[in-house]
Amino acid sequence: MISSLQSLLAGRVDVCVVGSGPVGLALGIRLARSGLSVALLESGGKTISEKTNRLAAAASISTAHHAEASLTIRRAVGGTSKAWGGRCVEFDDSDFDGRPARGDARWPIEHSAFRAYYDDARTFLGAELSNVEIPGVEMPDMDGDFEPSIESWAREPDMAKAHGALIESLPNLHLVTQATVIGLDLDREGARMKRALVWHRGKLHSLGATIFVLACGGRENARLLLAAQEIAPRLFGGVDGPLGRYYMGHLAGELARIRFADRSFMEKMFFRRNGTGAWFRSRLIPSIALQNERDLLNSVFWLRSPPLEEVYSTAGARATLNMIRAISGRRRMRRMSFKAKAPDTASLSDLVSNPVESFNAALQLTTAALKSERQPNFFVKNDEHLYWLAYHSEQLPVAANRVRLSSEVDETGLKRLAVSFDFAEEDLASLIRSHHALAEWITRRRIGTVEWLYPEETLSAAVRGQALDGYHQIGLTRMGASPRTSVVDGNCRCHDLENLYVAGSSVLPVSGQANPTLPAVALALRLADHLKGELRG
């Protein structure tokens, strides 16, 4: 239920969760349903406020490969799910194999710890994936070099909308908005957290709890811990320790397209819907054996609709496309303009002169636009069976990719972050090797042919030109067995503070190919069960 901060100050809740994004909501709801009292503190309100969002703005960002910081978060109930497309992807076994390229990034838990919670996480996110309900997931004619990877999509991506009624109905889930945590009050020994320092409606308050969980996004989790470390420098391995380092995201973009000869295989990679109403589709990932053989980082490939100018290349069709764009100008049509080229010169006279082409194009575009309102992405099928090949690829953990406190402060007095973030040459080179391996496999299996969008000698520059992240915020408070190389343990508890936990993508020591939302929610549900045991033990 929505509560006032004042009503909580006099007492003491079992768990204080900082942040109400997908991870904080999943954790808070599961704890409250078990009977524990939970304070869920949200810096924003029910809707996004530009002023509140600016609290997360960075003092500086080192490269153009990191998005502007305040654009990569949403300070509101539901958090970044308000901007999230809804894609849910599991980790792969290869993400847990401890390969040398990942340095000292070592999971303290097995993949099975996630698998036990993937189904519950998908249910929470509204992206259920039951094998019984999905016909024909297996891709035809696979030989081991590449394997199918299934993604499902949330029916309602905004978790505040999806769970709004439940949040209101749980009497021991106390959601407080406009409550920005700006500091951690520790005991004299520096072994426990006593209270959260909360900036609320222009005043500073302190809230007590038995256990505290930071779930306010990767950079903001690190920011609060760095502020605590500034007061107690020995914490989290000291100033030269792992806190705020190993910042990761993903490479994403397109380097090639596929012209399919095998129609059955192609159709297996289109969007489909299961019995729950959730959309899903198959993608391709290199097998563990191939990754080891060719020294590849993990990556995934899927089909994307080609630019509409390629699909509708005749004069009448292009004129129809231009007319629809001019009339609409709305977000729906902006989605249709994926990778749009320079403005087309096709005009009204072309439309009138080619009535059959124009009518067919209008019918296809209208049908595709209506369908795209239901499925996750705009997708136009074409008779040439030619589709762009999208990629999403692992970034290696590098200590120089980091955040640190600057001298600049926000409106609450909390120091802003300075961000250093870039992609290593091996990130790019591995992705290009993966593309070549996929092209060879597609040709060998007679699935089709791969056509490069860029000359071979410019592929690395093309990948770097498309490289942009800052949204996934992985690794900044990573988990591990040793406090020398990690911030939290396998249960997400800070090595140095016995009642402070961290949840979200920042605890993941490896980025893999997966978007982090599903694994982060799965880990939050696992944490909830652990905390229930701790508090009732």
Side-chain angles (χ1 to χ4, degrees), residues 1-4 7-8 13-21 23-41 77 124 159 163-177:
M1 63 180 180
I2 306 297
S3 301
S4 69
S7 67
L8 301 177
V13 295
D14 292 318
V15 183
C16 173
V17 179
V18 182
S20 70
V23 169
L25 284 175
L27 176 64
I29 288 172
R30 194 173 183 99
L31 289 171
R33 277 178 152 174
S34 73
L36 296 173
S37 60
V38 181
L40 187 58
L41 305 183
V77 180
F124 173 81
M159 292 297 104
H163 298 285
L166 179 59
I167 294 168
E168 294 278 2
S169 70
L170 291 171
N172 51 336
L173 178 64
H174 305 281
L175 173 61
V176 182
T177 59

Side-chain angles (χ1 to χ4, degrees), residues 420-478:
S420 298
F421 182 84
D422 205 349
F423 290 93
E425 287 302 316
E426 179 56 21
D427 298 333
L428 282 60
S430 170
L431 175 63
I432 294 170
R433 293 197 300 272
S434 296
H435 273 81
H436 282 295
L438 180 61
E440 294 167 13
W441 181 79
I442 286 173
T443 301
R444 184 172 70 248
R445 305 307 300 173
R446 298 182 180 177
I447 294 168
T449 56
V450 170
E451 302 174 1
W452 298 99
L453 300 175
Y454 305 92
E456 172 71 29
E457 64 273 14
T458 67
L459 289 179
S460 182
V463 175
R464 188 168 289 282
Q466 297 176 74
L468 179 70
D469 211 322
Y471 299 93
H472 292 165
Q473 303 176 33
I474 299 166
L476 290 165
T477 64
R478 68 181 186 177

Side-chain angles (χ1 to χ4, degrees), residues 253-287:
E254 305 82 25
L255 286 182
R257 58 189 182 184
I258 301 179
R259 191 178 299 274
F260 282 95
D262 186 335
R263 182 170 179 175
S264 174
F265 192 99
M266 173 187 73
E267 291 177 346
K268 294 283 186 179
M269 297 187 71
F270 290 161
F271 278 116
R272 288 170 283 169
R273 217 168 190 173
N274 66 15
T276 69
W279 290 93
F280 73 96
R281 68 175 165 192
S282 297
R283 300 111 44 91
L284 297 172
I285 59 171
S287 66

Side-chain angles (χ1 to χ4, degrees), residues 398-528:
V398 175
N401 283 342
R402 62 180 299 191
V403 299
R404 66 189 91 192
L405 295 178
S406 71
S407 58
E408 182 181 325
V409 299
D410 66 16
E411 291 86 339
T412 70
L414 184 60
K415 288 184 176 180
R416 295 191 186 276
L417 292 175
V419 179
S420 298
F421 182 84
D422 205 349
F423 290 93
E425 287 302 316
E426 179 56 21
D427 298 333
L428 282 60
S430 170
L431 175 63
I432 294 170
R433 293 197 300 272
S434 296
H435 273 81
H436 282 295
L438 180 61
E440 294 167 13
W441 181 79
I442 286 173
T443 301
R444 184 172 70 248
R445 305 307 300 173
R446 298 182 180 177
I447 294 168
T449 56
V450 170
E451 302 174 1
W452 298 99
L453 300 175
Y454 305 92
E456 172 71 29
E457 64 273 14
T458 67
L459 289 179
S460 182
V463 175
R464 188 168 289 282
Q466 297 176 74
L468 179 70
D469 211 322
Y471 299 93
H472 292 165
Q473 303 176 33
I474 299 166
L476 290 165
T477 64
R478 68 181 186 177
M479 64 164 53
S482 168
R484 183 182 61 81
T485 58
S486 61
V487 178
V488 302
D489 64 16
N491 290 317
C492 299
R493 185 183 71 84
C494 288
H495 289 300
D496 298 328
L497 297 168
E498 62 188 49
N499 67 332
L500 177 61
Y501 294 75
V502 183
S505 61
S506 65
V507 306
L508 308 176
V510 170
S511 65
Q513 58 83 10
N515 297 64
T517 303
L518 178 70
V521 169
L523 203 55
L525 298 177
R526 178 177 179 267
L527 173 58

Side-chain angles (χ1 to χ4, degrees), residues 70-191:
S70 63
L71 299 179
T72 63
I73 60 95
R74 295 293 185 273
R75 290 203 177 196
V77 180
T80 52
S81 72
K82 291 188 176 300
W84 175 51
R87 179 185 280 125
C88 294
V89 184
E90 297 179 8
F91 273 132
D92 302 303
D93 288 341
S94 62
D95 299 324
F96 293 78
D97 63 8
R99 62 187 62 182
R102 294 175 180 145
D104 57 4
R106 296 287 187 274
W107 292 95
I109 56 177
E110 301 292 331
H111 194 190
S112 57
F114 285 86
R115 286 201 186 98
Y117 289 91
Y118 280 145
D119 285 347
D120 283 356
R122 287 187 189 275
T123 298
F124 173 81
L125 294 167
E128 297 90 338
L129 194 59
S130 169
N131 289 332
V132 176
E133 298 168 336
I134 302 176
V137 162
E138 291 301 319
M139 305 289 285
D141 206 20
M142 305 289 273
D143 70 354
D145 277 358
F146 282 84
E147 301 170 346
S149 168
I150 306 300
E151 66 179 22
S152 60
W153 293 71
R155 295 186 299 278
E156 170 50 74
D158 186 341
M159 292 297 104
K161 291 182 180 178
H163 298 285
L166 179 59
I167 294 168
E168 294 278 2
S169 70
L170 291 171
N172 51 336
L173 178 64
H174 305 281
L175 173 61
V176 182
T177 59
Q178 310 298 333
T180 303
V181 173
I182 63 170
L184 315 180
D185 183 19
L186 308 182
D187 64 12
R188 288 185 178 181
E189 293 75 25

Side-chain angles (χ1 to χ4, degrees), residues 312-372:
Y312 301 101
S313 57
T314 62
R318 295 200 322 270
T320 302
L321 176 59
N322 288 343
M323 182 186 69
I324 291 176
R325 284 175 174 159
I327 292 173
S328 176
R330 294 183 298 175
R331 181 182 178 189
R332 177 187 306 174
M333 297 308 297
R334 288 200 298 272
R335 290 179 69 199
M336 294 173 63
S337 303
F338 167 71
K339 295 292 180 185
K341 299 177 182 177
D344 200 296
T345 58
S347 64
L348 182 61
S349 62
D350 293 305
L351 187 148
V352 175
S353 302
N354 301 274
V356 175
E357 291 177 2
S358 302
F359 175 80
N360 289 337
L363 181 62
Q364 291 173 11
L365 282 165
T366 301
T367 301
L370 290 172
K371 186 178 290 186
S372 76

Side-chain angles (χ1 to χ4, degrees), residues 217-267:
R219 288 194 308 273
E220 294 302 298
N221 286 345
R223 185 182 180 190
L224 287 171
L225 294 183
L226 285 166
Q229 187 186 63
E230 196 170 45
I231 297 171
R234 68 166 185 81
L235 292 175
F236 317 121
V239 294
D240 295 321
L243 175 60
R245 299 178 186 271
Y246 307 105
Y247 190 11
M248 291 173 285
H250 294 94
L251 287 168
E254 305 82 25
L255 286 182
R257 58 189 182 184
I258 301 179
R259 191 178 299 274
F260 282 95
D262 186 335
R263 182 170 179 175
S264 174
F265 192 99
M266 173 187 73
E267 291 177 346

